[in-house]
């Protein structure tokens, strides 16, 4: 395992939304660590809580919050103790930046790219306009865009270029952590490949720490050092990418891997029958049990988190405290 320091240490994080039908348990008792310079890929089906986890870390919360609790230690400080104003001033954007889902559509079509990219620097860092322009030009080169494109309007750029421009905006303030929410989902395959190459370059040259939210396990393999598998608001598995792709433990993780085509192996692709449970009234036991081929009596209770070695954890009754299979 890497000896790099822990940049983000999340413990028992909960984020519930209040609705007329009852509380939505979008993030339910999630814990994980992320080391500096590493990329954590959070994978899972739509509606499993991936984006809600990102919003909880960034504290980008809607008004209907019912529960928001736990510990988020960022760079040695528990930022959950910060009030909203201090969090906005000291953490969001300057230290933790985000690239939101469908971000390439968030640029103002009637304002030049440069003016939109320098605005956060003028507001948060109080630097001169010329200093901001110089910084933005530097990150534009890092993401592989010609500097003269800064004078263009968003509609003059392709979708992939606009996505890179948004990533440049996130990098301009030199944040320690960048949260990428489905950064390639709206792009064609060639643009996806180019974007992943840009992100790998940024990771290598700047040593940026990423959280990558994605439903595409293949995309995650390009960048991830660790994989976190979300299911129905729970983080059911956390493992090094080095081991996860060849030896996933949770039955849900195994099904996800079995659904991914490979180039070097001729295999019959599988699917997961059924659908995820409602997060308004989730099962009291293992939330995957209704769809699991390996379920047994004990699955009617919520499984504990079992440490498997190499920093991996899994929430499944198939494993005892030492990580050995108890029931097949």
């Amino acid at each position: 395992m890497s000896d790099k320091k822990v940049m983000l240490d999340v413990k028992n994080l909960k984020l519930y939304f209040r609705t007329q039908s009852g509380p939505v348990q979008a993030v339910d008792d999630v814990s994980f660590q992320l080391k500096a310079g590493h990329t954590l890929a959070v994978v899972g089906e739509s509606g499993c809580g991936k984006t809600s986890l990102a919003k909880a870390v960034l504290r980008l919360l809607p008004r209907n919050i019912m529960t928001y609790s736990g510990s988020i230690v960022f760079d040695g400080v528990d930022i959950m103790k910060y009030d909203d104003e201090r969090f906005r001033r000291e953490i969001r954007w300057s230290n933790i930046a985000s690239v939101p889902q469908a971000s390439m559509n968030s640029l103002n079509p009637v304002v030049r790219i440069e003016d939109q990219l320098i605005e956060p620097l003028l507001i948060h860092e109080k630097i001169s306009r010329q200093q901001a322009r110089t910084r933005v030009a530097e990150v534009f080169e890092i993401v592989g865009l010609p500097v003269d494109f800064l004078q263009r309007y968003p509609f003059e750029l392709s979708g992939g270029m606009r996505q890179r421009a948004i990533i440049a905006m996130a990098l301009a303030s030199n944040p320690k952590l960048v949260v990428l929410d489905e950064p390639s989902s709206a792009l064609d395959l060639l643009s996806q490949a180019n974007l992943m190459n840009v992100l790998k370059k940024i990771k290598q040259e700047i040593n940026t720490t990423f959280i990558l939210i994605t439903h595409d396990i293949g995309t995650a393999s390009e960048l991830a050092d660790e994989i976190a598998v979300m299911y129905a608001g729970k983080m059911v598995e956390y493992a090094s990418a080095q081991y996860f792709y060849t030896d996933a433990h949770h039955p849900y993780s195994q099904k996800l891997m079995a659904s991914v085509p490979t180039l070097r192996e001729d295999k019959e692709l599988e699917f997961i029958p059924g659908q995820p449970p409602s997060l308004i009234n989730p099962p009291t036991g293992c939330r995957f049990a209704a769809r699991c081929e390996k379920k047994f009596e004990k699955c009617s209770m919520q499984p504990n988190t079992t440490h498997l070695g190499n920093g991996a954890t899994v929430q499944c009754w198939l494993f005892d405290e030492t990580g050995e299979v108890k029931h097949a």
Side-chain angles (χ1 to χ4, degrees), residues 237 244 247-251 253-254 294 308 312 314 316 318-319 323:
E237 183 164 359
F244 178 85
D247 189 24
H249 288 87
H250 196 280
S253 304
Q254 294 171 355
K294 301 178 180 180
L308 303 175
V314 64
C316 181
L318 292 173
F319 302 91

Side-chain angles (χ1 to χ4, degrees), residues 68-101:
Y68 179 51
S69 63
S71 170
I72 302 177
V73 177
F74 174 71
D75 203 20
V77 178
D78 188 354
I79 57 178
M80 286 289 280
K81 297 179 180 179
Y82 285 16
D83 60 36
D84 289 344
E85 174 59 25
R86 185 181 181 187
F87 189 94
R88 183 198 64 79
R89 187 176 63 251
E90 298 182 14
I91 301 298
R92 189 186 300 130
W93 201 263
S94 56
N95 278 298
I96 304 179
S98 70
V99 177
Q101 197 166 1

Side-chain angles (χ1 to χ4, degrees), residues 5-11 32-38 56-59 68 70-82 86-87 89-97 173-179 207-211:
K5 74 170 185 177
V6 174
M7 174 67 68
L8 186 69
D9 188 2
V10 175
K11 293 181 180 177
F32 66 91
Q33 289 186 337
L34 175 59
K35 293 186 177 181
H38 279 212
V57 172
L58 290 159
R59 204 185 290 186
Y68 179 51
S71 170
I72 302 177
V73 177
F74 174 71
D75 203 20
V77 178
D78 188 354
I79 57 178
M80 286 289 280
K81 297 179 180 179
Y82 285 16
R86 185 181 181 187
F87 189 94
R89 187 176 63 251
E90 298 182 14
I91 301 298
R92 189 186 300 130
W93 201 263
S94 56
N95 278 298
I96 304 179
S173 58
N174 295 319
K176 295 178 181 178
L177 173 64
V178 177
V179 180
N207 200 34
T208 303
T209 307
F210 290 115
I211 294 179

Side-chain angles (χ1 to χ4, degrees), residues 235-287:
M235 188 170 286
V236 296
E237 183 164 359
Y238 176 95
S240 167
Q242 177 184 356
Y243 302 106
F244 178 85
Y245 282 97
T246 57
D247 189 24
H249 288 87
H250 196 280
Y252 177 63
S253 304
Q254 294 171 355
K255 283 290 189 180
L256 286 180
M257 291 303 302
S259 70
V260 178
T262 59
L263 295 176
R264 299 179 179 84
E265 181 183 357
D266 185 15
K267 69 176 185 180
E268 183 176 351
L269 299 182
E270 300 181 23
F271 68 96
I272 307 174
Q275 60 185 8
S278 168
L279 295 182
I280 293 178
N281 188 25
T284 55
C286 173
R287 296 184 178 181

Side-chain angles (χ1 to χ4, degrees), residues 86 122 130 161 169 188:
R86 185 181 181 187
L122 299 177
Q130 185 55 48
M161 289 178 178
M169 182 186 289
D188 60 78

